[in-house]
Amino acid sequence: YSNSLKKASFIMARTQKNKATSNHLGLLKARLAKMRRELITPKGGSGGGTGEGFDVAKTGDARIGFVGFPSVGKSTLLSNLAGVYSEVAAYEFTTLTTVPGVIRYKGAKIQLLDLPGIIEGAKDGKGRGRQVIAVARTCNLILIVLDVLKPLGHKKLIEHELEGFGIRLNKQPPNIGFKKKDKGGINFTVTCPQSELDGDAVKSILAEYKIHNADITLRSDSTADDLIDVVEGNRVYIPCIYVLNKIDQISIEELDIIYKVPHCVPISAHSRWNFDDLLEKMWDYLHLVRIYTKPKGQLPDYTSPVVLPTEHTAVEDFCLKIHKSLLKELKYALVWGASVKHNPQKVGKDHVMEDEDVIQLVKK
């Protein structure tokens, strides 16, 4: 497979990009994506043992993974942030399995994972890279740890490795409607002008996946890669922060330039510089909402909030987070805070709450 991958990549690099070749390029991209998926998920069969597991049980309200090349300071960062000992030494590949740690920030329990260093070619299975990236797929936020003194090309390399494994960093899912059906051919509709895809290009990409009957709706200017992502359906969209470590070894002028890079936080893990900035940015990117509980006749408990992801903040989600039996017993809830017109307001299970609301449940 790896030879076929190289061959397809080589043909793509040599092909001129214009209107006439765009269909051909789209076809090659689809073929590449298919081969990569088959590399990642090997065919079934009587395999041997699975070897040592990499993944760690998910705990807390969110999970953050540290990804980077060997010896950029991931373990030092974990040790100093979470107070967990992760072996640190002056040689590469000191960390060989996932080391977990937990921090408490703004009342939320956040799990940090120090992943082993990845190398170029990790997405194709080099240096246990596949297991490392598989754990990265389960995170709510990825911190790509980079060494300030090494070239910025490392950032591109890591992005390329993660992209090849179906992880999309700081992106939204493409606005494409895709629905398979049993008959009726390809029904192709666009709601805005397209610069790259047309009916023929879409048909040739779908034909590569042996899909001949489907409804496709393009609601934004999409590329062949966007369409392939939607058809593959196994892509994960994860926010990402670039952590530039070892800033204690550069000048103030260089630091000013680094600060202008988007999604980026310069720190020194060894000297513990700028950790508060990093924690604040991590909180912003995780999109979490804190809900405080209030027992009847008592003051609200502001020490341990129930933490929910922004997209699931209804009273129903709150009940399910505590225990699924709560929902059956719920009569109504009283809510104080920004999500209601007057305090307290009587609400049902579909009411959507906002950050730092206070809730009191009334049972039947």
Side-chain angles (χ1 to χ4, degrees), residues 7 9 23 31 49 62-63 67 71 74 76 83 103 113-114 117 142 150 199 245 295 301 304 308 323 332 357:
K7 198 171 165 190
S9 305
N23 287 9
R31 209 162 283 173
R63 174 183 246 194
V67 177
S71 290
K74 296 187 294 297
T76 312
I103 55 167
L113 297 183
D114 175 20
I142 290 177
K150 302 255 172 80
N245 190 16
D301 177 13
S304 48
L308 302 168
H323 198 275
Y332 61 88
D357 276 5

Side-chain angles (χ1 to χ4, degrees), residues 51-299:
E52 189 185 342
F54 245 56
D55 203 4
V56 176
K58 206 166 184 173
T59 61
D61 302 305
R63 174 183 246 194
I64 298 177
F66 297 171
V67 177
F69 284 115
S71 290
V72 291
K74 296 187 294 297
S75 298
T76 312
L77 179 59
L78 179 80
S79 302
N80 288 344
L81 262 182
V84 175
Y85 180 66
S86 180
E87 196 179 338
V88 181
Y91 53 87
E92 299 195 335
F93 293 107
T94 322
T95 308
L96 294 172
T97 63
T98 307
V99 180
V102 173
I103 55 167
R104 275 195 169 278
Y105 188 66
K106 295 192 176 182
K109 254 173 87 175
I110 299 168
Q111 185 181 37
L112 305 176
L113 297 183
D114 175 20
L115 300 170
I118 60 173
I119 52 175
E120 202 176 340
K123 66 178 185 301
D124 306 322
K126 276 190 192 166
R128 297 193 79 178
R130 228 181 271 171
Q131 289 103 313
V132 175
I133 302 177
V135 178
R137 273 180 76 101
T138 66
C139 295
N140 303 94
L141 171 66
I142 290 177
L143 295 191
I144 293 184
V145 187
L146 301 164
D147 188 335
V148 161
L149 306 169
K150 302 255 172 80
L152 256 181
H154 283 192
K155 171 174 174 279
K156 275 269 176 285
L157 283 172
I158 291 180
E159 282 172 354
H160 183 65
E161 296 301 321
L162 295 176
E163 292 260 328
F165 214 83
I167 296 175
R168 301 287 175 260
L169 302 172
N170 291 330
K171 282 185 187 166
Q172 290 300 319
N175 199 350
I176 297 176
F178 170 63
K179 192 180 174 194
K180 281 189 198 175
K181 49 188 188 178
D182 297 333
K183 52 180 186 285
I186 302 290
N187 185 11
F188 176 64
T189 34
V190 289
T191 58
C192 61
Q194 298 293 319
S195 57
E196 188 177 316
L197 288 175
D198 56 15
D200 296 336
V202 169
K203 278 178 184 162
S204 63
I205 289 171
L206 292 176
E208 181 60 38
Y209 285 98
K210 298 186 172 60
I211 296 171
H212 304 292
N213 301 298
D215 292 332
I216 294 278
T217 314
L218 304 182
R219 302 190 191 93
S220 61
D221 187 5
S222 308
T223 62
D225 291 320
D226 291 339
L227 180 61
I228 291 164
D229 282 355
V230 171
V231 175
E232 282 274 348
N234 61 353
R235 305 295 190 238
V236 287
Y237 296 84
I238 303 177
C240 166
I241 299 173
Y242 303 99
V243 179
L244 289 172
N245 190 16
K246 309 188 184 177
I247 56 167
D248 46 349
Q249 298 173 24
I250 60 168
S251 68
I252 296 283
E253 290 77 33
E254 288 169 311
L255 192 57
D256 285 340
I257 296 166
I258 287 167
Y259 247 112
K260 290 172 185 152
V261 181
H263 309 298
C264 182
V265 180
I267 63 153
S268 166
H270 185 68
S271 312
R272 302 184 180 219
W273 292 354
N274 209 20
F275 274 13
D276 45 357
D277 207 7
L278 174 63
L279 286 167
E280 194 51 49
K281 199 153 193 140
M282 273 159 47
W283 180 260
D284 290 344
Y285 278 55
L286 281 170
H287 302 299
L288 297 174
V289 169
R290 292 159 294 174
I291 308 293
Y292 300 113
T293 54
K294 180 189 178 306
K296 194 175 178 185
Q298 292 175 31
L299 288 170

Side-chain angles (χ1 to χ4, degrees), residues 33-54:
K34 249 176 78 175
M35 285 176 185
R36 283 217 177 97
R37 187 191 56 214
E38 282 162 17
L39 259 177
I40 293 165
T41 50
K43 293 272 190 298
S46 54
T50 52
E52 189 185 342
F54 245 56

